[in-house]
Amino acid sequence: MRVVWDGVKLAGMKDLFNRTPGLDGADAAGKRQEIRDYFHATFDRYEQLFETLASDEAYYRKPIALRHPLIFYFGHTATFFINKLVLAGLVTRRVNPSFESMFAIGVDEMSWDDLDETNYNWPTVAEVRAYRDEARRIIDDLIATLPLELPIHWDHPWWPILMGIEHERIHLETSSVLIRQHALHYVKPHPDWRPCPLSGEAPTNAPVQIPAGKVALGKTDATYGWDNEYGRHTAEVAAFQAARYLVSNREFLEFVEAGAYGDDDVWEDEGRAWKNYAQAAHPTFWIPDGDGWRLRLMTEEVAMPWDWPAEVNYHEAKAFCNWKKAQTGLPVRLPTEDEWVRLYEVSGLAEVPHDRRAEANLHLDHYASSCPVTQFRHGDFYDVVGNVWQWTETPIYPFDGFRVHPLYDDFTVPTFDDRHNLIKGGSWISCGDEALKSARYAFRRHFFQHAGFRYVISDAALPEATPASHYETDKLLSEYAEFHYGDTYFEVPNFSQTLARIAVAAMRGKPMRRALDIGCAAGRATFELAKHFERVTGIDFSARFIGLGAQLARNGVLRYTLTDEGELVLYKERRLDELGLDATRDKVEFFQGDACNLKPHFTGYDFILAANLIDRLYSPRKFLAAVHARLNPGGVLMIASPYTWLEEHTPRDEWLGGFKQAGENLSTLDGLKAALSGHFRLMEKPRDVPFVIRETRRKFQHTLSEVTLWEKIS
């Protein structure tokens, strides 16, 4: 079968499904044609998938309650394309604003116990098909006329074109899963979506030793990639054993027949809750048939192929491993992402070739279903890639250097929640970017994909919870994260850095062993002081602020969102190493505490910083009356404050200044001199230090903080 679009000869369904293009080279005209072919082949194949629906009614009945009906997914990929091209400024007119709103969002699976009963006035199938035709014409014209210089990279005008194509390929797979979950009378077999005809006896699984080694992750090749694939991650992987085969239906049957679905002890808490809610007693695609079983494929039910991989969600795979661990006494579990990469590398695998079929059930090169786990050998293993995705123990997390692509800022970030686990290796329908080694896709643990698993045996402890996977979204905390660690605005230097430089100059010739940053907020000054002091303690009344500094000290990275305008946000990442502060991580400590009532052991400091603190205390007089006792002789106290006295923070009778006394103006500096004169001398004239706090893209606070330095004299 050949397909012709506007006089262009395209790859047919019987040929190899076009591979994701390389984005470098010198032949721009050839690359333009390759991408044009790639686009049309992808659009054709996606529309052909929906030919497996038996009637128009099938488009409007939800396959599962937690997802939209298939009419949404039929329209979604084309509207995504137009929306991204409009956002990128490559397309100036919309095709159908109503569709481009209706079909834009609502794709990600919801929590298994969070039903969505929203009703939509969906258009007809013919209307959506006509929309897709018009979108195709616009995109084809853009590909044919947009100037092209190679290589194509992240910021290149052609990047959103590749983004739209690869996005459609993702939905080729996810929509096929929904079709598989549809009632059987809504689907029909299709000559271009034929399942594997092979089945035989399942093999006996056995572990194979994999030696220790180092892995390095992070996309480096010149093909399209999603944001989470970029950055750097290296790890030393301890030796472990991995099952030679994916767990087959026959091997999983032992778990079912042992009654393990009813044994709460082998299920994790989250998995047990899902199992009980779903009333699961066997894999979702298994169909009881008298004393036996049948298997639901995409468009039909077949006699159970016992040598095909068992397709389950993470909870079921994890419970199987826990059960097998109890049965064997061996440390059985799912692999981590790093271990899967190690398995890939020792198997001697390479990427899917462009000129011949993959040596794996991958990229639609063989079947429209799984196949026997014994068919595709990869070194000492089988199905290291292909057949079904493989669940891992690893919740998706950002690599070092991760950046959010501005055209699709919610592709990955919402999954950094420790609820989405990575799947690796691809399935029979995984194609394009999905089929590459660098692919990083993650789904909620209750979710069903064309996914199974391989177990490993390892005494190595699982890594602790992935560092800094979350983006801080609290508006105040995010503003202070940016204030302390973010960009410079209006050429005003970083406030914490400026204070640290003043402090170091004031300490010249004095001991610089221990420092206290009281009211440290997000902690930047704590780290800056630690470049010069042997040990620095940061204390703040707010545990949430302390959490930001502690997170940086622990993980070296802080991620947060900033309000751009309205509900729009920007995603920011700050790293200690990029700020020149990584060497200070072991020299700082953070505690929650009350500056007016500090514990006795916070003492013996050579320097104390109280930045933007005194006008926020409930009793600044109490703090100032006791602070000398926490300083060593000759120690220095730095106070910085804009003197913004407010009764909501400080009772009126506790204000140090900012009012008339005996008919004369009393400034806060006067109040400070009176409060500190018994134990301190003012070292130099006060100075004003400016700072800027960003609220939105166009709203900032610009403030002057008066800095005074006080030397302890008694």
Side-chain angles (χ1 to χ4, degrees), residues 113-323:
D113 59 352
D114 180 20
L115 297 179
D116 179 21
E117 301 297 342
T118 304
N119 293 312
Y120 291 82
N121 185 22
W122 299 112
T124 67
V125 175
E127 288 171 332
V128 178
R129 190 171 287 119
Y131 175 86
R132 288 185 59 87
D133 288 344
E134 178 64 16
R136 186 198 285 248
R137 279 189 285 272
I138 291 171
I139 299 163
D140 178 73
D141 182 65
L142 180 66
I143 293 173
T145 60
L146 185 68
L148 174 59
E149 293 184 5
L150 297 175
I152 299 171
H153 49 76
W154 176 288
D155 299 313
H156 196 284
W158 279 65
W159 195 260
I161 296 174
L162 275 298
M163 178 182 287
I165 302 171
E166 294 293 349
H167 173 264
E168 186 129 11
R169 292 198 167 208
I170 291 175
H171 281 285
L172 179 68
E173 176 159 340
T174 57
S175 295
S176 76
V177 178
L178 287 174
I179 290 171
R180 187 178 185 184
Q181 293 175 294
H182 222 339
L184 197 59
H185 64 274
Y186 285 132
V187 300
K188 60 185 179 183
H190 190 287
D192 286 309
W193 294 95
R194 291 194 180 99
C196 176
L198 305 175
S199 182
E201 290 299 316
T204 300
N205 220 338
V208 177
Q209 186 71 28
I210 295 179
K214 185 175 184 177
V215 295
L217 285 70
K219 187 176 181 70
T220 57
D221 67 318
T223 58
Y224 179 85
W226 299 102
D227 54 10
N228 66 66
E229 298 169 15
Y230 293 94
R232 318 173 290 284
H233 169 75
T234 60
E236 296 288 345
V237 178
F240 65 100
Q241 294 178 301
R244 187 182 302 276
Y245 305 99
L246 298 174
V247 172
S248 67
N249 286 320
R250 174 68 69 188
E251 189 172 8
F252 200 84
L253 178 66
E254 299 173 23
F255 175 78
V256 176
E257 292 185 335
Y261 273 89
D263 181 2
D264 284 353
D265 289 343
V266 302
W267 294 80
E268 305 293 308
D269 290 344
E270 182 185 343
R272 187 182 310 114
W274 166 80
K275 171 181 68 76
N276 293 339
Y277 176 86
Q279 297 184 319
H282 54 76
T284 195
F285 297 119
W286 287 24
I287 311 298
D289 183 25
D291 294 333
W293 300 91
R294 294 176 66 79
L295 183 66
R296 171 62 190 269
L297 306 183
M298 192 170 73
T299 63
E300 59 188 290
E301 291 179 6
V302 298
M304 179 62 73
W306 292 112
D307 58 343
W308 289 17
E311 295 177 69
V312 295
N313 65 21
Y314 169 87
H315 298 311
E316 294 167 298
K318 181 66 174 175
F320 177 94
C321 291
N322 290 341
W323 172 78

Side-chain angles (χ1 to χ4, degrees), residues 66 73 78 88 112 397 419 478 509:
L66 304 183
Y73 300 96
W112 51 263
Y397 66 97
R419 297 180 179 180
S478 295

Side-chain angles (χ1 to χ4, degrees), residues 47-58:
E47 291 177 354
Q48 186 203 58
L49 176 68
F50 286 81
E51 294 174 11
T52 64
L53 298 182
S55 64
D56 280 4
E57 184 183 3

